[in-house]
Amino acid sequence: MAATAIDGAREASAGRDDAAAPPGGLGTLFAERARQMPGALAFVDQAGREAWCGRPRIAWSYGAAQPMIERLAAFFSGLGLPPEAPVAVCLPAGSETLLTLLALERAGLTPCLLPLAWPRDDLARAVEATGAVAVVTQSVVGALKPAETFRDIAMGYYGLRFVTAFGPQPPDGVLDLDRVMIDERPILAGGGEGAGDRAVRAAGSAAAREPGIVTLARRGGQAGGEPEEIEAALRPASSWIAAACAFLEVAQYEPGERIVHLVAPDDLMGLATGFLAALLTGAPLELHGLFDGPALAASLARGEPTRLVAPGWMEGALAATALPPSVRGLVLLHAAPTRFRARAAATGPIVDVLALEPWALLTRARARGGQVALRLDARSGADADPRVRRDDEGRLSVCGASTQARRVVRGQIEAQLPEWRETPWRADVFAGIVIGVS
């Protein structure tokens, strides 16, 4: 399955003449799936989510999702934003996030993923760091009211021109995306190019970039009350595909499996191991926006062959849970900074993913016995992706197709892409095994 996914991804990212998205974009892969298997399930929301976001659970086939992507893309094009303009996306794990990413790409704009859990001040700094001119968010997520938060941020940051939101009863001053999806009438009059026109113009322009997605990471800030530093990076579609392919080479998803994902698709780790992996393999993706133990148990009890993707801190709880035999393996996601325990916990096939956000993912399969034994040199040589090196102080640098992201500072994109990207992360290694990253 992994080899087939890689071959198909390389062909799709080579840049074919496709009216559904700029060449090489993720929308190209999605449109190809829609042509091949329009009735197949693409992604589905977790059960019971209406209680915390006011939006019903929806299961989207590839064919059903395509017209919704077009409607959203036409709306975003109608805002009249410049080509490739950065648009912040701050949403929980759900179908809205994936439809939005594909629609923004279709409209020739650049999605910037902002984690919903960040506090208001960090979200405001993230908007400035990316130079976002619009936001796509949600009215309510549990006790949070993201649409109100971003409306208030927009009042103090004049570069943020539009705040849009899914969900019931968006606050005053926020554009209603639910209406866009269900109402045949345009929500905005006049103004913009069509989504197709914008996509063709962006793709045909000599100056146009390959479509990409910006992700952000926080680090530092513990000492002296200093705020955490926010680092932003623009990763082109080809690098996203390379990162997902490198993950799949190790994870080895099998035909007929589905992916149940408990981590939000708001960074490299969450998106590459979820939506991108599903897109490359054709596996249905079930997204859980807020953890709900009974809902997860009910989902796993359906008996469908499943790969469960969960944050690493859940390993102990999963080890104490009698998972059904239909769960064929676990993928545990660890975002730096993190510490690893050597003892075995969960049983069965386990894959560990170490995220050096926003630059690289390191994916390793556990040896027999289930103990974490993550080695930096496990995949070496010119064909390894990513390649990793550690200097005398423990600082990690990465290289390879899956690491080809450019730093973004206040909306300005790094001009020169280094062969080796020096990350801010340091690895503690004992007997060749990574015991922690700080």
Side-chain angles (χ1 to χ4, degrees):
M1 171 63 73
T4 302
I6 293 170
D7 292 342
R10 285 173 177 164
E11 179 182 350
S13 63
R16 30 193 293 285
D17 183 16
D18 192 327
L26 304 186
T28 302
L29 297 180
F30 195 89
E32 184 64 27
R33 289 287 179 195
R35 280 192 291 268
Q36 294 173 346
M37 45 186 196
L41 181 63
F43 40 80
V44 59
D45 301 309
Q46 75 181 106
R49 75 170 194 154
E50 191 167 2
W52 53 263
C53 75
R55 305 196 83 246
R57 183 192 199 206
I58 302 178
W60 293 96
S61 69
Y62 284 97
Q66 280 290 88
M68 288 301 152
I69 293 167
E70 289 295 326
R71 285 191 60 76
L72 286 170
F75 167 77
F76 292 132
S77 291
L79 296 178
L81 301 174
E84 302 175 352
V87 176
V89 178
C90 189
L91 291 165
S95 55
E96 297 87 357
T97 304
L98 308 184
L99 293 171
T100 296
L101 293 179
L102 294 170
L104 288 172
E105 179 191 280
R106 179 77 175 97
L109 303 170
T110 303
C112 304
L113 296 175
L114 276 58
L116 189 67
W118 282 11
R120 180 197 181 283
D121 288 348
D122 283 353
L123 291 174
R125 292 195 297 130
V127 167
E128 293 191 39
T130 59
V133 295
V135 170
V136 182
T137 189
Q138 199 146 301
S139 297
V140 176
V141 181
L144 300 177
K145 296 183 178 180
E148 290 187 8
T149 297
F150 282 103
R151 182 191 61 183
D152 294 344
I153 290 172
M155 292 175 64
Y157 178 66
Y158 297 111
L160 186 55
R161 296 169 52 193
F162 298 100
V163 179
T164 68
F166 294 97
Q169 300 179 338
D172 291 343
V174 175
L175 297 173
D176 185 352
L177 291 179
D178 279 2
R179 177 180 164 189
V180 173
M181 295 180 71
I182 65 175
D183 195 340
E184 293 299 325
R185 297 167 298 174
I187 193 170
L188 291 179
E193 300 173 271
D197 292 338
R198 182 184 293 274
V200 169
R201 184 163 64 85
S205 170
R209 295 191 307 265
E210 178 185 0
I213 300 172
V214 174
T215 58
L216 299 99
R218 296 181 302 182
R219 62 183 181 88
Q222 289 85 3
E226 293 293 324
E228 290 181 305
E229 179 181 345
I230 292 179
E231 198 165 29
L234 172 64
R235 182 177 303 276
S238 57
S239 185
W240 280 103
I241 293 169
C245 286
F247 163 74
L248 288 169
E249 284 182 349
V250 179
Q252 291 292 310
Y253 287 177
E254 297 294 333
E257 292 180 340
R258 63 170 179 154
I259 305 168
V260 174
H261 210 288
L262 308 185
V263 176
D266 58 16
D267 55 14
L268 172 61
M269 175 178 71
L271 196 58
T273 64
F275 181 48
L276 265 294
L279 198 54
L280 293 177
T281 61
L285 174 64
E286 183 172 308
L287 294 160
H288 286 239
L290 290 184
F291 181 73
D292 182 331
L296 176 60
S299 174
L300 298 180
R302 295 207 303 263
E304 301 172 54
T306 298
R307 292 294 180 106
L308 179 59
V309 185
W313 56 263
M314 286 186 64
E315 181 172 358
L318 292 173
T321 303
L323 295 176
S326 57
V327 178
R328 295 183 174 180
L330 296 177
V331 177
L332 297 176
L333 307 183
H334 314 269
T338 188
R339 304 294 295 181
F340 293 106
R341 296 183 179 182
R343 66 176 177 81
T347 59
I350 300 175
V351 171
D352 290 295
V353 179
L354 172 61
L356 306 174
E357 297 285 355
W359 305 113
L361 297 180
L362 307 183
T363 306
R364 305 288 187 263
R366 290 195 189 178
R368 186 172 300 174
Q371 291 187 332
V372 178
L374 195 148
R375 294 177 179 269
L376 298 178
D377 60 354
R379 301 175 67 206
S380 57
D383 294 334
D385 188 14
R387 286 180 284 161
V388 187
R389 67 186 184 192
R390 179 174 176 266
D391 66 17
D392 293 340
E393 296 180 350
R395 189 182 298 274
L396 298 176
S397 296
V398 295
C399 177
S402 67
T403 71
Q404 300 300 293
R406 296 177 185 268
R407 198 181 306 274
V408 179
V409 180
R410 292 188 174 274
Q412 298 301 308
I413 300 169
E414 180 180 32
Q416 299 297 322
L417 191 65
E419 180 183 1
W420 282 89
R421 171 70 66 183
E422 185 178 275
T423 78
W425 305 110
R426 289 180 170 84
D428 297 326
V429 176
F430 179 77
I433 297 172
V434 177
I435 59 175
V437 179
S438 59

